[in-house]
Amino acid sequence: MRERRGLVGHETDNPYYEGKKYPEPTVCERCGLFYRDGHWQHPPEDLPEGVHRALCPACRREKDRYPGGLLYLGGTYLVEKREEILNLVRNQEEEARGQRPLQRILWIKDQGDELEIATTTPHLAMRLGRAIHSAHKGDLEIKPLEDEYMVRLFWRRDLKEA
Ligand SMILES: [Zn+2]
């Protein structure tokens, strides 16, 4: 493994950095995304000959099970509104993915009164956390981790006792 330079990892030292350069054109051997003109995009109908193969940053995170963002949801309100909140999460993911295909949800772990949502990018976790917060209120706490390429968010809301 390559040594990290400096005290705080610069983004170019980040093995999952979305702006990392690949030879053009490259196709992701796992999800089929296509790298050209400096970014990952949906593939053309016919792949050109001699296309390079690699893992895109999102698939690399998926394979390593190393998310860029973790969002924890909890509270009695969540139990009540679970489906509504999960729909919001899926719609937000779809929209984000339409804009930048590297933004994906890696997993949703359902632990009854708590949900853990892992995303490929810190940006997507922030987007989901903020969307839930703005639609459902509650408390949102954001904890970026220094020298790690990820962010953690904690959201919870409890129903008031009757
Ligand atoms: Zn991929």
Side-chain angles (χ1 to χ4, degrees):
M1 224 174 133
R2 209 155 51 92
E3 235 182 88
R4 283 184 197 165
R5 271 164 282 147
L7 287 173
V8 177
H10 186 260
E11 60 183 355
T12 51
D13 290 334
N14 175 353
Y16 308 105
Y17 177 46
E18 286 172 68
K20 180 177 170 336
K21 298 284 175 242
Y22 292 82
E24 297 202 13
T26 291
V27 69
C28 175
E29 55 200 13
R30 203 151 178 268
C31 71
L33 281 187
F34 190 66
Y35 182 85
R36 182 185 265 168
D37 304 325
H39 65 274
W40 290 92
Q41 49 195 279
H42 295 289
E45 292 254 320
D46 295 303
L47 286 180
E49 271 184 53
V51 65
H52 301 270
R53 282 167 198 282
L55 277 184
C56 74
C59 285
R60 195 165 165 172
R61 283 198 185 264
E62 200 167 345
K63 186 168 158 277
D64 296 347
R65 294 189 62 78
Y66 190 104
L70 280 169
L71 172 62
Y72 297 93
L73 309 177
T76 49
Y77 176 89
L78 171 72
V79 178
E80 200 109 311
K81 298 276 187 174
R82 155 192 247 90
E83 280 319 305
E84 211 176 301
I85 290 173
L86 281 173
N87 280 340
L88 175 68
V89 163
R90 292 198 187 97
N91 291 340
Q92 287 287 326
E93 183 208 16
E94 208 176 290
E95 219 173 279
R97 202 169 172 163
Q99 292 160 358
R100 285 160 69 205
L102 293 179
Q103 302 199 94
R104 299 175 205 164
I105 289 175
L106 292 175
W107 66 77
I108 297 180
K109 220 186 272 172
D110 194 334
Q111 285 153 329
D113 55 353
E114 199 174 83
L115 288 174
E116 176 190 293
I117 301 173
T119 61
T120 51
T121 65
H123 184 263
L124 180 57
M126 300 278 278
R127 175 179 181 139
L128 297 178
R130 286 184 172 141
I132 292 169
H133 188 228
S134 101
H136 296 278
K137 312 299 176 232
D139 296 310
L140 180 69
E141 197 186 341
I142 302 172
K143 290 189 175 170
L145 297 182
E146 256 185 62
D147 201 26
E148 291 210 39
Y149 315 114
M150 73 177 300
V151 65
R152 273 173 226 255
L153 293 95
F154 299 84
W155 176 88
R156 72 174 294 123
R157 180 171 168 192
D158 289 296
L159 293 168
K160 291 200 173 63
E161 305 266 330

